Amino acid sequence: AQTVTQSQPEMSVQEAETVTLSCTYDTSESDYYLFWYKQPPSRQMILVIRQEAYKQQNATENRFSVNFQKAAKSFSLKISDSQLGDAAMYFCAYLTQGGSEKLVFGKGMKLTVNP
Amino acid sequence: DTGVSQNPRHKITKRGQNVTFRCDPISEHNRLYWYRQTLGQGPEFLTYFQNEAQLEKSRLLSDRFSAERPKGSFSTLEIQRTEQGDSAMYLCASSLSPVDRMTYEQYFGPGTRLTVT
């Protein structure tokens, strides 16, 4: 079974600075996706960024970028120029292509942004 | 707003009572997923539908749980004889079915928070 590990339960960052959230996963599959989801307090979960395993190029979405190390099974999220609105729970998630395509989530990490 | 909606948003019930939650997916999405999120944990998969067919159920889904998606539109999740351990946030998500190598995003609803006293 696939597992996702987020070893840091909480982090904080100063506004306008950069922070990196770490995630490792375990799988024997070859075709899969990795995601970072954001869950603000009392609001629904939204997708931040996704990475297809077959793509070597790291995904970027504006201030958000990933460092995907397939051999090491590592998938970290870098948030640049942190904003107060970035404060939330962040979940790393794995999806096996084909079949149910259910998401397997890590335990999450609470990010605090200090003004 | 054409996102995923869930009702009720909060439910408090006494142990032993039955509860039912509803999820309305994005209208063109044929896949619908249910997840459960307990405090301090990430969401865990419960079950999913493709159109009206329930195609997979997690071992977390005991026989007290039943889900339906009549006519492939909204879905309901019923818990019979609730227990305190059922207290959690129940999340619904919808997406399009994958095509070729393309996997589509799952869009999440706001969740139903269940408290069993």
Side-chain angles (χ1 to χ4, degrees):
Chain A
Q2 292 77 31
T3 58
V4 176
T5 302
Q6 293 178 253
S7 56
Q8 305 153 301
E10 291 192 48
M11 290 185 77
S12 63
V13 63
Q14 291 297 125
E15 197 176 2
E17 294 191 348
T18 296
V19 63
T20 300
L21 287 58
S22 63
C23 172
T24 59
Y25 61 96
D26 189 26
T27 185
S28 57
E29 304 288 337
S30 56
D31 292 329
Y32 56 89
Y33 283 72
L34 294 163
F35 303 86
W36 280 98
Y37 278 88
K38 170 185 176 180
Q39 189 177 41
S42 302
R43 293 181 59 190
Q44 59 213 77
M45 195 160 323
I46 57 174
L47 179 65
V48 174
I49 197 165
R50 61 191 273 167
Q51 173 79 44
E52 292 91 329
Y54 67 89
K55 288 187 177 179
Q56 292 187 330
Q57 187 172 7
N58 289 324
T60 61
E61 286 287 342
N62 302 312
R63 297 183 296 109
F64 299 89
S65 61
V66 299
N67 183 6
F68 174 47
Q69 301 289 328
K70 191 171 184 179
K73 295 181 182 173
S74 169
F75 182 62
S76 61
L77 173 69
K78 185 169 83 172
I79 306 174
S80 303
D81 186 25
S82 298
Q83 300 176 359
L84 294 177
D86 294 333
M89 287 292 296
Y90 284 82
F91 293 93
C92 179
Y94 170 101
L95 179 152
T96 300
Q97 273 187 288
S100 70
E101 300 210 335
K102 62 193 175 203
L103 290 162
V104 176
F105 287 87
K107 287 188 175 184
M109 194 224 66
K110 181 179 179 182
L111 179 67
T112 301
V113 181
N114 300 311
Chain B
D1 185 7
T2 57
V4 178
S5 61
Q6 293 187 246
N7 288 288
R9 295 291 305 276
H10 302 273
K11 179 72 177 177
I12 300 174
T13 192
K14 295 190 179 201
R15 190 176 56 186
Q17 298 294 305
N18 299 343
V19 293
T20 300
F21 311 139
R22 176 176 170 131
C23 171
D24 287 272
I26 293 171
S27 57
E28 60 266 29
H29 286 179
N30 55 350
R31 284 204 171 182
L32 187 148
Y33 297 81
W34 285 100
Y35 294 87
R36 182 171 69 186
Q37 185 177 17
T38 53
L39 204 60
Q41 302 293 321
E44 295 174 291
F45 170 79
L46 292 179
T47 188
Y48 94 103
F49 294 82
Q50 179 149 318
N51 300 312
E52 66 276 8
Q54 187 175 17
L55 297 184
E56 185 173 335
K57 293 193 285 188
S58 161
R59 284 174 291 178
L60 292 175
L61 214 64
S62 76
D63 54 10
R64 295 184 298 105
F65 288 69
S66 63
E68 293 183 340
R69 192 184 181 198
K71 302 178 184 177
S73 56
F74 70 92
S75 175
T76 57
L77 178 67
E78 181 184 16
I79 309 174
Q80 296 183 325
R81 305 180 303 281
T82 52
E83 301 173 356
Q84 287 187 322
D86 297 331
S87 295
M89 176 77 85
Y90 290 84
L91 298 171
C92 175
S94 72
S95 74
L96 294 169
S97 298
V99 175
D100 296 329
R101 296 199 69 174
M102 182 64 189
T103 288
Y104 292 93
E105 177 182 348
Q106 291 184 27
Y107 290 83
F108 282 81
T112 294
R113 182 169 296 284
L114 174 66
T115 303
V116 182
T117 62

